[in-house]
Amino acid sequence: MKFIFLFLVVIHGLIHIMGFLKAFELAKLDQLTQSISKPVGVVWLLTLLLFLLAAIFFLFQMENWWIPAAVAVVLSQLVIILSWQDAKFGTIMNVIILLVVIVGMATWKFTSETAKELENLLAENETSTALITEEMLHDLPSNVRTWLNHVGVVGREDIDTISFRQIGEMKLEPDGKWSASEAEQYVTTGTPGFWWRVSVDMLPVVDVVGRDLFRGGTGDMKIKVASLFPVVNVSNNEKVDQSTMQRFLLELPLFPTAALQPYISWKEVDPFTAEAQMRYEGMEAIASFHFDKNGSGELVRVSAFRYKDHDEKAEPIECIGQIHEYEEINGLRIPVKVDISWVLEGEPFTWYRFEVVDFRLQ
């Protein structure tokens, strides 16, 4: 659909060359019966150039593509009014383009607002240059020590911040269809928090966008259709606060040095399972880490009981992160292919599966 829109913008823009040719008598155009002055002809040409510029910006996914498009629509409608008898049907195209421009402007606004939230999160993070030694692992359960040695934390500095993208797909219901998604995420560990922004191709023409934020021990969730219409906007909610903290724990394999942070404690459940408990800003969260049974220390699954919803009737249900593939990145063994599932009525419902790309450590 996006390429269809791009095609329409280009064709609509090129049609404006006719007004310029008519004004400067460069071609005989019987379709335009009304006279066009040369100054107005220049406006026709300028409108063409603005539509083409907007198309180029749109093609290269530049978020400010809507600015030249909006100016082009205004100028286009002006020259259409001046040649109404011949050009009135161009109004239909201008209305279509204007609707998409409004969505583009809303997307730009959403991106700018959430980028400011990320900036604040990163500014608050407490950084550390401490080198992790074998002695630091001494008081941990043996299976957690084996895991941390296996992934390569010994001999490296604490991870203060990570960033990455997730390329994947989501679905809302067990029998629903998969929708392509792309997300970006930042995680801070000195001051625990994360910022996650996603775009999902859930609707034919427009995307559904969302942003999850864990900052200062509290959670914040936003979901909008076409970046315009709020579907979810939740903050100052204890269930969301706890669920976002649970998520931070579940994602610990992506930043394993945080396992040694003072706000996390460990308990061995059995030789192949450990329990991580996080206490921060008066909140508490628990997650289980499941290791393979050959003793290598490979983490195969993480799980926690989280709130899937945030209303009064919501109850914690099991959330599982199944790890399918690892890669070595900057000397650390990082999970890069993961499925996320909720356990509904005893059956796992996999709603999100993704691959981690562009992983960066700081």
mmCIF file of all heavy atoms in Angstrom, residues 17-39:
data_model
loop_
_atom_site.group_PDB
_atom_site.id
_atom_site.type_symbol
_atom_site.label_atom_id
_atom_site.label_comp_id
_atom_site.label_asym_id
_atom_site.label_seq_id
_atom_site.Cartn_x
_atom_site.Cartn_y
_atom_site.Cartn_z
ATOM 1 N N ILE A 17 2.730 19.483 -14.348
ATOM 2 C CA ILE A 17 3.566 20.045 -15.416
ATOM 3 C C ILE A 17 2.703 20.656 -16.509
ATOM 4 O O ILE A 17 3.135 21.578 -17.218
ATOM 5 C CB ILE A 17 4.512 18.961 -15.995
ATOM 6 C CG1 ILE A 17 5.599 19.579 -16.863
ATOM 7 C CG2 ILE A 17 3.728 17.931 -16.795
ATOM 8 C CD1 ILE A 17 6.554 20.452 -16.104
ATOM 9 N N MET A 18 1.478 20.163 -16.610
ATOM 10 C CA MET A 18 0.584 20.658 -17.649
ATOM 11 C C MET A 18 0.289 22.146 -17.466
ATOM 12 O O MET A 18 0.245 22.919 -18.433
ATOM 13 C CB MET A 18 -0.712 19.855 -17.655
ATOM 14 C CG MET A 18 -0.524 18.377 -17.985
ATOM 15 S SD MET A 18 -2.038 17.408 -17.787
ATOM 16 C CE MET A 18 -3.049 18.109 -19.086
ATOM 17 N N GLY A 19 0.068 22.565 -16.238
ATOM 18 C CA GLY A 19 -0.211 23.980 -15.986
ATOM 19 C C GLY A 19 0.967 24.860 -16.339
ATOM 20 O O GLY A 19 0.795 25.967 -16.871
ATOM 21 N N PHE A 20 2.184 24.377 -16.054
ATOM 22 C CA PHE A 20 3.382 25.134 -16.405
ATOM 23 C C PHE A 20 3.539 25.239 -17.928
ATOM 24 O O PHE A 20 3.817 26.326 -18.472
ATOM 25 C CB PHE A 20 4.611 24.456 -15.797
ATOM 26 C CG PHE A 20 5.920 25.063 -16.217
ATOM 27 C CD1 PHE A 20 6.336 26.267 -15.686
ATOM 28 C CD2 PHE A 20 6.736 24.417 -17.144
ATOM 29 C CE1 PHE A 20 7.555 26.828 -16.067
ATOM 30 C CE2 PHE A 20 7.935 24.964 -17.530
ATOM 31 C CZ PHE A 20 8.347 26.173 -17.000
ATOM 32 N N LEU A 21 3.344 24.125 -18.626
ATOM 33 C CA LEU A 21 3.469 24.127 -20.088
ATOM 34 C C LEU A 21 2.420 25.025 -20.725
ATOM 35 O O LEU A 21 2.701 25.731 -21.703
ATOM 36 C CB LEU A 21 3.344 22.700 -20.613
ATOM 37 C CG LEU A 21 4.434 21.713 -20.170
ATOM 38 C CD1 LEU A 21 4.132 20.315 -20.685
ATOM 39 C CD2 LEU A 21 5.805 22.180 -20.657
ATOM 40 N N LYS A 22 1.206 25.018 -20.177
ATOM 41 C CA LYS A 22 0.128 25.858 -20.695
ATOM 42 C C LYS A 22 0.456 27.334 -20.504
ATOM 43 O O LYS A 22 0.281 28.161 -21.419
ATOM 44 C CB LYS A 22 -1.170 25.511 -19.973
ATOM 45 C CG LYS A 22 -2.351 26.428 -20.264
ATOM 46 C CD LYS A 22 -3.000 26.118 -21.577
ATOM 47 C CE LYS A 22 -4.280 26.924 -21.752
ATOM 48 N NZ LYS A 22 -4.965 26.615 -23.014
ATOM 49 N N ALA A 23 0.950 27.695 -19.319
ATOM 50 C CA ALA A 23 1.221 29.099 -19.008
ATOM 51 C C ALA A 23 2.305 29.674 -19.897
ATOM 52 O O ALA A 23 2.225 30.837 -20.325
ATOM 53 C CB ALA A 23 1.600 29.233 -17.537
ATOM 54 N N PHE A 24 3.324 28.882 -20.195
ATOM 55 C CA PHE A 24 4.460 29.372 -20.988
ATOM 56 C C PHE A 24 4.364 28.951 -22.454
ATOM 57 O O PHE A 24 5.333 29.082 -23.200
ATOM 58 C CB PHE A 24 5.778 28.885 -20.367
ATOM 59 C CG PHE A 24 6.131 29.606 -19.102
ATOM 60 C CD1 PHE A 24 5.616 29.195 -17.877
ATOM 61 C CD2 PHE A 24 6.956 30.720 -19.126
ATOM 62 C CE1 PHE A 24 5.928 29.863 -16.707
ATOM 63 C CE2 PHE A 24 7.284 31.390 -17.953
ATOM 64 C CZ PHE A 24 6.760 30.968 -16.742
ATOM 65 N N GLU A 25 3.178 28.438 -22.842
ATOM 66 C CA GLU A 25 2.887 28.070 -24.232
ATOM 67 C C GLU A 25 3.955 27.151 -24.811
ATOM 68 O O GLU A 25 4.391 27.291 -25.946
ATOM 69 C CB GLU A 25 2.740 29.325 -25.092
ATOM 70 C CG GLU A 25 1.613 30.230 -24.626
ATOM 71 C CD GLU A 25 1.480 31.501 -25.465
ATOM 72 O OE1 GLU A 25 2.383 31.741 -26.305
ATOM 73 O OE2 GLU A 25 0.500 32.240 -25.283
ATOM 74 N N LEU A 26 4.374 26.188 -23.992
ATOM 75 C CA LEU A 26 5.401 25.233 -24.428
ATOM 76 C C LEU A 26 4.779 23.991 -25.055
ATOM 77 O O LEU A 26 5.496 23.173 -25.639
ATOM 78 C CB LEU A 26 6.269 24.824 -23.232
ATOM 79 C CG LEU A 26 7.068 25.963 -22.572
ATOM 80 C CD1 LEU A 26 7.792 25.463 -21.338
ATOM 81 C CD2 LEU A 26 8.052 26.564 -23.577
ATOM 82 N N ALA A 27 3.472 23.851 -24.912
ATOM 83 C CA ALA A 27 2.771 22.710 -25.514
ATOM 84 C C ALA A 27 1.303 23.086 -25.671
ATOM 85 O O ALA A 27 0.769 23.903 -24.901
ATOM 86 C CB ALA A 27 2.909 21.462 -24.645
ATOM 87 N N LYS A 28 0.672 22.497 -26.654
ATOM 88 C CA LYS A 28 -0.760 22.715 -26.862
ATOM 89 C C LYS A 28 -1.511 21.660 -26.067
ATOM 90 O O LYS A 28 -1.375 20.468 -26.307
ATOM 91 C CB LYS A 28 -1.101 22.600 -28.354
ATOM 92 C CG LYS A 28 -2.577 22.864 -28.670
ATOM 93 C CD LYS A 28 -2.805 22.839 -30.163
ATOM 94 C CE LYS A 28 -4.289 22.973 -30.488
ATOM 95 N NZ LYS A 28 -4.873 24.227 -29.964
ATOM 96 N N LEU A 29 -2.302 22.123 -25.107
ATOM 97 C CA LEU A 29 -2.999 21.214 -24.205
ATOM 98 C C LEU A 29 -4.487 21.540 -24.242
ATOM 99 O O LEU A 29 -4.969 22.477 -23.581
ATOM 100 C CB LEU A 29 -2.463 21.359 -22.772
ATOM 101 C CG LEU A 29 -0.973 21.005 -22.578
ATOM 102 C CD1 LEU A 29 -0.493 21.441 -21.214
ATOM 103 C CD2 LEU A 29 -0.761 19.513 -22.772
ATOM 104 N N ASP A 30 -5.217 20.751 -25.011
ATOM 105 C CA ASP A 30 -6.652 20.985 -25.145
ATOM 106 C C ASP A 30 -7.407 20.693 -23.856
ATOM 107 O O ASP A 30 -8.540 21.148 -23.675
ATOM 108 C CB ASP A 30 -7.213 20.109 -26.283
ATOM 109 C CG ASP A 30 -6.620 20.503 -27.640
ATOM 110 O OD1 ASP A 30 -6.229 21.681 -27.776
ATOM 111 O OD2 ASP A 30 -6.540 19.616 -28.519
ATOM 112 N N GLN A 31 -6.780 19.875 -22.953
ATOM 113 C CA GLN A 31 -7.455 19.526 -21.706
ATOM 114 C C GLN A 31 -7.656 20.750 -20.810
ATOM 115 O O GLN A 31 -8.562 20.776 -19.979
ATOM 116 C CB GLN A 31 -6.654 18.471 -20.937
ATOM 117 C CG GLN A 31 -6.474 17.161 -21.696
ATOM 118 C CD GLN A 31 -5.177 17.157 -22.491
ATOM 119 O OE1 GLN A 31 -4.709 18.225 -22.928
ATOM 120 N NE2 GLN A 31 -4.605 15.972 -22.676
ATOM 121 N N LEU A 32 -6.769 21.733 -20.944
ATOM 122 C CA LEU A 32 -6.862 22.954 -20.133
ATOM 123 C C LEU A 32 -7.435 24.064 -20.999
ATOM 124 O O LEU A 32 -6.749 24.624 -21.874
ATOM 125 C CB LEU A 32 -5.479 23.343 -19.593
ATOM 126 C CG LEU A 32 -4.825 22.317 -18.654
ATOM 127 C CD1 LEU A 32 -3.444 22.784 -18.226
ATOM 128 C CD2 LEU A 32 -5.696 22.050 -17.435
ATOM 129 N N THR A 33 -8.693 24.378 -20.795
ATOM 130 C CA THR A 33 -9.379 25.371 -21.634
ATOM 131 C C THR A 33 -9.248 26.779 -21.072
ATOM 132 O O THR A 33 -9.408 27.762 -21.800
ATOM 133 C CB THR A 33 -10.869 25.011 -21.740
ATOM 134 O OG1 THR A 33 -11.456 24.998 -20.428
ATOM 135 C CG2 THR A 33 -11.043 23.641 -22.383
ATOM 136 N N GLN A 34 -8.971 26.912 -19.772
ATOM 137 C CA GLN A 34 -8.847 28.228 -19.162
ATOM 138 C C GLN A 34 -7.408 28.720 -19.275
ATOM 139 O O GLN A 34 -6.455 27.937 -19.241
ATOM 140 C CB GLN A 34 -9.268 28.165 -17.683
ATOM 141 C CG GLN A 34 -10.733 27.786 -17.477
ATOM 142 C CD GLN A 34 -11.053 27.604 -16.005
ATOM 143 O OE1 GLN A 34 -10.996 26.500 -15.485
ATOM 144 N NE2 GLN A 34 -11.403 28.699 -15.344
ATOM 145 N N SER A 35 -7.269 30.035 -19.417
ATOM 146 C CA SER A 35 -5.926 30.606 -19.521
ATOM 147 C C SER A 35 -5.228 30.559 -18.165
ATOM 148 O O SER A 35 -5.876 30.632 -17.115
ATOM 149 C CB SER A 35 -6.005 32.056 -20.002
ATOM 150 O OG SER A 35 -6.709 32.850 -19.063
ATOM 151 N N ILE A 36 -3.886 30.426 -18.191
ATOM 152 C CA ILE A 36 -3.073 30.383 -16.984
ATOM 153 C C ILE A 36 -1.947 31.398 -17.138
ATOM 154 O O ILE A 36 -1.185 31.350 -18.118
ATOM 155 C CB ILE A 36 -2.493 28.977 -16.747
ATOM 156 C CG1 ILE A 36 -3.613 27.939 -16.584
ATOM 157 C CG2 ILE A 36 -1.590 28.967 -15.518
ATOM 158 C CD1 ILE A 36 -3.126 26.519 -16.452
ATOM 159 N N SER A 37 -1.849 32.316 -16.196
ATOM 160 C CA SER A 37 -0.788 33.321 -16.263
ATOM 161 C C SER A 37 0.557 32.682 -15.956
ATOM 162 O O SER A 37 0.634 31.616 -15.340
ATOM 163 C CB SER A 37 -1.068 34.454 -15.270
ATOM 164 O OG SER A 37 -0.976 33.971 -13.940
ATOM 165 N N LYS A 38 1.607 33.373 -16.362
ATOM 166 C CA LYS A 38 2.950 32.825 -16.131
ATOM 167 C C LYS A 38 3.287 32.708 -14.638
ATOM 168 O O LYS A 38 3.864 31.698 -14.217
ATOM 169 C CB LYS A 38 3.988 33.666 -16.861
ATOM 170 C CG LYS A 38 3.937 33.480 -18.380
ATOM 171 C CD LYS A 38 5.039 34.244 -19.077
ATOM 172 C CE LYS A 38 4.973 33.978 -20.592
ATOM 173 N NZ LYS A 38 6.026 34.723 -21.329
ATOM 174 N N PRO A 39 2.942 33.709 -13.787
ATOM 175 C CA PRO A 39 3.216 33.528 -12.350
ATOM 176 C C PRO A 39 2.505 32.296 -11.782
ATOM 177 O O PRO A 39 3.087 31.553 -10.981
ATOM 178 C CB PRO A 39 2.690 34.822 -11.722
ATOM 179 C CG PRO A 39 2.799 35.840 -12.809
ATOM 180 C CD PRO A 39 2.479 35.096 -14.074
#
